[in-house]
Amino acid sequence: MKLLNYTTSYFAAILFLLLGIWAVIFYLEMLDEIYDSLDDGLDNHKMLVIKQAKNNPEILQRLDFEDGSYTIRPISDQRAINFRDSYRDTLMYMQNEKEYEPVRLLETVFKNGDNFYKLKIITSMVEEDDLIEDLLFSLILLYIGLILSIVLLNNLILKKIWNPFYGLLQQLKNFRLEKDQQIKTIPSTIEEFNLLNTRIEQMLGKSISSYNSQKQFIENAAHELQTPLAISINKLELLVENEDLNSEQIELVASVLNNLEGLTRMNNSLLLLSKIENQQFPEEELVVFNDLIDELKLDFEDLASHKEMKINVENFSQLEYKMNKGLARILLSNLLKNAIMHGERSSEINIRISSKSFNISNISNQGSLDTDKVFTRFQKNSQVKGSNGIGLAIAHTIAEKYNILLNYTYEGKHSFLLSFPQVDS
Amino acid sequence: MKILIIEDQQDMLQNMKDFLEKENFVVETAESVSEARNKIGVYTYDCILLDINLKDGSGFSLLEDLKKKEIEDGIIIVSARNSLDDRLQGLNLGADDYLAKPFHMAELNARVKAVLRRRQFKGNNKIKIGNLCVDLDEHEASIGEQLLNLNRKEFEILLFFVSNQNRLVNKSALAEHVWGDHIDQADSFEFIYSQIKNLRKKLKTADAGIEIKAVYGIGYKLVEE
């Protein structure tokens, strides 16, 4: 849920509760006032009736409400003494409305001469119904009005206020350290946002510069290693040609040479990796993957036939993508090399190419690889000697550079899938 | 044959010098652009090995000067800067080849000889060792009158050995030369062994006067019987 909607929903709930409580209290207060005024009216009426009864004893015999709003009937002394005045609501049949309507009733006793009489006075309270209705109606209106204005305010004012925040958020959402992009913050008059902006700028600046210097370091280090490696390997090559060496000594030199060559390959891979990350392959062209895999299939023919493996390529559709051709070649050849190296002897490698995907799968009895780490540098597979575990990391880095998704799945077969983004043309 | 090595890393320079001298080349050296300019002005060389990063300047500028003066020496750039740009720039400026450090001596040897062949034996591009004859234009090899039935890779293997006759050829040097980067892992040695085995069989059936000898742990050596 968005921050703005979140506050709105909170406001809605709180307002609902507050307005509800307020409505109940307000209603009770109003009711109290109304009863008070009705009862005062009845009291006044009572005085008038009692006064009238003294002058005109005829009315002491009014036993029903036929032509007035009161009745009087005599009661025994005994009952009169224990009687207390009472106000209550009741229903009475109204001739005009032809139904029962609520009325306020006052029952009281008074003494006229030596006799006690019971007096019932009524007054209509029909309007009170309307009052509740009106109250509820205006309450709902008020509630809706408040919610609407909050939503409106959120959208107009808050959005404007939070604009720097959302602008920053949007950029952070798309921010990738490897992509070498800058975050442009929107200046604000709000202190907190300015603090956030400067802090984020500082943090990102630090991250970017340390990321860059790390990349630069790897490239420089790998680069500086080339010459000493070359010298060492060449000196050993010269040494081993020496006729005086016995076979044991030759074997020793061979072992050192092998390790130095391994180091050279790893160094080359690291250099390539950092060159890709340092954007040193700017040239791009439309690469036809179907043709590229045909070329690579030829290159790997010897190696595959040595392991008695068969490479099946199924072209469902032409796959074209704009990228650096050299890197495309490295990407595919690393995947193919991986499939040949780790595939079972005499098994098949299946390649399926459709317009937006490239899938390569091989059979291996090693079981699933760790999907989280398969594209991590130096993720070695101990079963295959000589593999430096960097080929898939390079493939992944290349794919990432061109927004291609590289996924690994295992369902009886090791399967690597390249998914190409839809290109808007 | 005279070769000039321009390289400011003394160890590197010495290695190349030692190796090429064993091939009976006359090797001269220069450690800076100015020293190289002096030598090139006085002598002519069949092949120049040129490092790009020199103390007193870039090898590229030297290369440009050479080409302006229409000096016909074969030039191989030897550089630790293995970038496509450098390679293209070097070749566009007229270098014959580009070799990235680190490299194997056998590879250097093969490249130097290829350049020399292209320069020297125009029209007659054949190498003979004993009764073996390698025709570089036709990509064919024959023993006496009998044509060897070699596939593309086998021909390349044979040619690499022929360029490095009597020299110890490192297995990975061979693998990198013939199969490029594709075979740098895992059971590559077993793979190379089986490729060599096939080639040996073909040479033996044709009664070749040469033999590819295995040097345990290191690689192979082509010798004349």
Side-chain angles (χ1 to χ4, degrees):
Chain A
M1 191 185 270
K2 276 200 165 181
L3 185 66
L4 290 180
N5 298 338
Y6 197 71
T7 46
T8 311
S9 67
Y10 258 94
F11 273 129
I14 290 166
L15 276 178
F16 190 78
L17 201 73
L18 281 180
L19 286 181
I21 293 168
W22 175 83
V24 170
I25 293 169
F26 183 71
Y27 173 68
L28 292 178
E29 285 280 317
M30 288 300 277
L31 220 54
D32 204 43
E33 279 302 311
I34 289 164
Y35 279 129
D36 215 37
S37 102
L38 283 178
D39 294 351
D40 282 353
L42 286 174
D43 242 12
N44 188 44
H45 202 169
K46 181 184 98 179
M47 303 290 203
L48 291 175
V49 172
I50 293 169
K51 212 167 152 191
Q52 207 187 346
K54 277 184 181 161
N55 303 331
N56 183 11
E58 266 176 44
I59 60 164
L60 293 173
Q61 297 308 315
R62 281 173 81 124
L63 298 179
D64 51 45
F65 292 107
E66 263 167 14
D67 59 346
S69 52
Y70 61 95
T71 61
I72 300 173
R73 63 181 62 201
I75 55 166
S76 64
D77 294 2
Q78 199 57 41
R79 278 181 65 199
I81 286 162
N82 292 328
F83 197 91
R84 282 174 196 283
D85 285 7
S86 80
Y87 302 90
R88 59 193 168 92
D89 295 346
T90 183
L91 292 173
M92 176 169 265
Y93 189 78
M94 292 284 163
Q95 293 294 335
N96 59 339
E97 305 275 334
K98 294 213 160 78
E99 57 180 354
Y100 285 91
E101 291 286 344
V103 290
R104 188 71 173 169
L105 174 71
L106 167 61
E107 281 182 305
T108 184
V109 290
F110 67 95
K111 197 178 174 185
N112 195 15
D114 292 333
N115 297 318
F116 285 101
Y117 298 89
K118 180 173 166 187
L119 173 64
K120 284 186 180 179
I121 305 173
I122 57 161
T123 182
S124 171
M125 47 182 278
V126 178
E127 284 78 20
E128 196 212 335
D129 263 5
D130 297 341
L131 183 74
I132 297 171
E133 228 170 74
D134 281 354
L135 193 62
L136 189 70
F137 186 66
S138 38
L139 206 65
I140 291 170
L141 266 184
L142 179 66
Y143 182 70
I144 292 173
L146 277 173
I147 296 291
L148 276 181
S149 52
I150 287 169
V151 170
L152 215 68
L153 281 181
N154 265 342
N155 278 324
L156 291 177
I157 302 170
L158 287 187
K159 219 173 215 176
K160 196 171 155 45
I161 295 171
W162 285 84
N163 188 34
F165 176 75
Y166 281 109
L168 191 66
L169 211 61
Q170 191 59 35
Q171 290 189 70
L172 284 178
K173 204 166 87 181
N174 298 325
F175 181 77
R176 298 265 296 282
L177 198 53
E178 314 90 67
K179 294 250 155 151
D180 201 22
Q181 26 178 227
Q182 292 293 323
I183 291 269
K184 278 199 200 92
T185 52
I186 304 164
S188 165
T189 47
I190 299 165
E191 201 180 320
E192 284 87 347
F193 286 149
N194 278 333
L195 190 68
L196 187 69
N197 282 346
T198 49
R199 286 292 157 196
I200 283 190
E201 269 172 357
Q202 277 173 7
M203 267 163 53
L204 284 183
K206 231 176 230 174
S207 301
I208 290 169
S209 80
S210 70
Y211 179 74
N212 285 339
S213 65
Q214 180 205 333
K215 280 195 304 185
Q216 209 54 53
F217 172 77
I218 295 174
E219 187 175 348
N220 289 344
H223 190 82
E224 291 303 322
L225 277 173
Q226 300 286 65
T227 306
L229 274 172
I231 293 168
S232 313
I233 288 175
N234 295 345
K235 281 218 188 302
L236 288 174
E237 281 177 336
L238 287 170
L239 172 68
V240 88
E241 285 197 318
N242 193 325
E243 304 280 320
D244 301 334
L245 289 183
N246 63 34
S247 63
E248 263 174 44
Q249 289 165 325
I250 289 181
E251 250 182 85
L252 265 174
V253 177
S255 161
V256 178
L257 257 178
N258 274 339
N259 282 300
L260 281 176
E261 281 160 5
L263 193 58
T264 305
R265 283 193 286 270
M266 195 187 298
N267 200 47
N268 280 336
S269 300
L270 277 178
L271 202 53
L272 175 65
L273 207 54
S274 54
K275 274 181 179 170
I276 298 166
E277 283 170 354
N278 288 342
Q279 318 286 333
Q280 289 180 19
F281 296 89
E283 308 85 9
E284 289 181 5
E285 62 185 284
L286 209 56
V287 179
V288 181
F289 278 65
N290 312 66
D291 299 347
L292 188 57
I293 201 70
D294 284 344
E295 281 174 41
L296 287 173
K297 202 179 146 187
L298 270 181
D299 288 345
F300 282 99
E301 204 178 26
D302 296 340
L303 202 56
S305 68
H306 174 66
K307 282 189 87 174
E308 291 158 13
M309 295 174 105
K310 200 166 174 288
I311 303 172
N312 302 317
V313 181
E314 284 178 275
N315 290 302
F316 291 103
S317 161
Q318 174 115 328
L319 173 58
E320 288 177 339
Y321 196 67
K322 195 163 186 281
M323 64 187 291
N324 183 283
K325 190 158 190 189
L327 291 184
R329 177 176 274 273
I330 293 169
L331 171 62
L332 291 196
S333 70
N334 280 7
L335 291 177
L336 187 55
K337 187 152 68 183
N338 181 68
I340 294 174
M341 288 301 165
H342 299 275
E344 285 300 294
R345 181 166 273 279
S346 311
S347 68
E348 288 189 357
I349 291 170
N350 291 306
I351 296 171
R352 299 157 72 91
I353 306 174
S354 66
S355 66
K356 288 285 165 232
S357 73
F358 176 95
N359 180 272
I360 180 166
S361 61
N362 67 279
I363 296 164
S364 158
N365 57 9
Q366 290 164 25
S368 179
L369 303 170
D370 187 341
T371 40
D372 292 335
K373 291 183 182 162
V374 64
F375 299 117
T376 319
R377 286 175 206 188
F378 305 119
Q379 192 56 37
K380 279 198 190 182
N381 184 338
S382 55
Q383 293 193 1
V384 180
K385 226 178 96 194
S387 146
N388 62 20
I390 212 166
L392 287 177
I394 290 176
H396 191 250
T397 307
I398 295 173
E400 203 167 46
K401 176 182 160 74
Y402 292 103
N403 299 318
I404 305 166
L405 273 180
L406 174 54
N407 281 316
Y408 165 77
T409 50
Y410 180 78
E411 279 165 15
K413 284 175 166 187
H414 296 279
S415 171
F416 289 89
L417 175 69
L418 288 170
S419 315
F420 294 79
Q422 300 289 334
V423 185
D424 305 321
S425 51
Chain B
M1 296 281 189
K2 232 165 132 184
I3 295 177
L4 174 66
I5 306 173
I6 307 163
E7 164 73 62
D8 61 354
Q9 277 282 336
Q10 286 200 5
D11 279 324
M12 197 75 212
L13 185 66
Q14 196 57 45
N15 282 344
M16 291 194 270
K17 186 168 186 279
D18 289 352
F19 185 87
L20 292 171
E21 272 170 353
K22 282 194 187 167
E23 288 288 311
N24 295 321
F25 291 118
V26 176
V27 181
E28 294 211 17
T29 62
E31 289 183 29
S32 64
V33 174
S34 52
E35 195 184 343
R37 278 211 170 90
N38 292 337
K39 291 209 163 159
I40 293 165
V42 181
Y43 311 102
T44 58
Y45 297 92
D46 297 293
C47 184
I48 297 173
L49 300 178
L50 175 63
D51 187 12
I52 294 301
N53 290 326
L54 293 163
K55 275 176 229 150
D56 59 342
S58 159
F60 284 133
S61 65
L62 191 63
L63 181 58
E64 268 175 280
D65 292 352
L66 286 178
K67 288 298 151 184
K68 257 182 229 154
K69 288 177 193 158
E70 296 182 351
I71 288 172
E72 285 289 299
D73 308 355
I75 295 164
I76 299 176
I77 293 173
V78 175
S79 171
R81 297 207 322 219
N82 182 21
S83 80
L84 194 64
D85 285 345
D86 278 6
R87 189 181 290 261
L88 286 178
Q89 191 186 354
L91 297 180
N92 284 340
L93 285 175
D96 296 81
D97 209 343
Y98 186 102
L99 190 55
K101 288 180 196 168
F103 49 78
H104 292 283
M105 284 302 178
E107 184 65 36
L108 175 70
N109 198 11
R111 303 277 185 113
V112 169
K113 289 194 175 159
V115 167
L116 292 177
R117 273 196 304 269
R118 276 200 295 264
R119 303 250 150 205
Q120 312 278 330
F121 310 107
K122 283 164 195 157
N124 181 24
N125 226 342
K126 286 182 183 167
I127 309 168
K128 288 196 172 96
I129 301 175
N131 60 356
L132 171 77
C133 177
V134 180
D135 187 330
L136 293 163
D137 296 324
E138 300 295 327
H139 275 254
E140 280 171 359
S142 51
I143 303 291
E145 293 299 305
Q146 193 191 345
L147 204 63
L148 281 172
N149 179 24
L150 302 178
N151 65 32
R152 195 166 52 98
K153 299 288 184 197
E154 282 166 341
F155 179 80
E156 281 180 48
I157 299 169
L158 184 62
L159 181 59
F160 194 60
F161 278 124
V162 166
S163 301
N164 286 290
Q165 190 194 345
N166 292 322
R167 304 301 295 259
L168 186 52
V169 172
N170 188 325
K171 277 177 296 197
S172 26
L174 177 69
E176 277 163 35
H177 179 81
V178 179
W179 289 277
D181 288 338
H182 301 320
I183 169 166
D184 60 357
Q185 286 184 337
D187 39 13
S188 56
F189 293 155
E190 192 197 326
F191 165 68
I192 292 163
Y193 174 73
S194 80
Q195 303 292 315
I196 299 281
K197 210 171 86 182
N198 290 341
L199 181 60
R200 271 179 179 158
K201 210 185 283 170
K202 286 180 184 176
L203 289 172
K204 197 165 185 189
T205 328
D207 249 341
I210 53 161
E211 197 197 343
I212 299 172
K213 274 185 167 176
V215 179
Y216 186 76
I218 296 272
Y220 303 91
K221 197 184 225 182
L222 183 108
V223 289
E224 205 179 336
E225 277 174 349

